């Protein structure tokens, strides 16, 4: 069994007035929970925040998340930010 998590937090947006304040913290808190309570290691977790959370980077990391997944693996995708 392997663990993999992709955590995305976006506070900063290109549109004026669209910024948020807690989303990067959400991703960091989720990382801490996975490390402390669920047996994940730092190498099991990828975090993308703000400018690094591009469509291309998210899609690339989603591929990493599911690539070679097997039965009983634990995979987690967490997004905190605006969505539509």
């Amino acid at each position: 069994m392997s663990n993999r998590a992709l955590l995305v937090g976006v506070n900063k947006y290109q549109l004026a007035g669209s910024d948020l304040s807690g989303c990067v913290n959400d991703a960091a808190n989720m990382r801490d929970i996975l490390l402390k309570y669920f047996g994940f290691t730092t190498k099991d977790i990828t975090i993308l925040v703000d400018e690094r959370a591009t469509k291309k980077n998210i899609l690339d990391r989603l591929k990493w998340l599911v690539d070679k997944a097997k039965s009983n693996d634990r995979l987690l995708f967490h997004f905190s930010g605006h969505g539509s």
Side-chain angles (χ1 to χ4, degrees):
M1 176 180 83
S2 68
N3 298 319
R4 287 189 188 168
L6 171 58
L7 313 176
V8 180
V10 183
N11 285 341
K12 298 177 185 175
Y13 285 86
Q14 293 178 352
L15 297 175
S18 295
D19 289 347
L20 300 171
S21 61
C23 301
V24 171
N25 289 339
D26 290 346
N29 290 338
M30 183 60 71
R31 177 199 60 220
D32 294 345
I33 289 167
L34 293 173
L35 294 171
K36 185 172 182 178
Y37 297 108
F38 292 97
F40 281 66
T41 66
T42 54
K43 70 177 181 123
D44 298 329
I45 301 169
T46 296
I47 298 181
L48 297 174
V49 297
D50 290 334
E51 296 84 7
R52 290 184 47 227
T54 64
K55 178 180 178 180
K56 180 184 182 331
N57 284 344
I58 292 171
L59 290 174
D60 287 348
R61 294 332 185 276
L62 282 170
K63 184 177 183 310
W64 164 83
L65 183 68
V66 299
D67 191 41
K68 300 178 185 172
K70 296 184 174 94
S71 181
N72 295 319
D73 286 353
R74 296 189 304 174
L75 309 177
L76 173 74
F77 173 67
H78 171 88
F79 177 86
S80 183
H82 290 297
S84 61

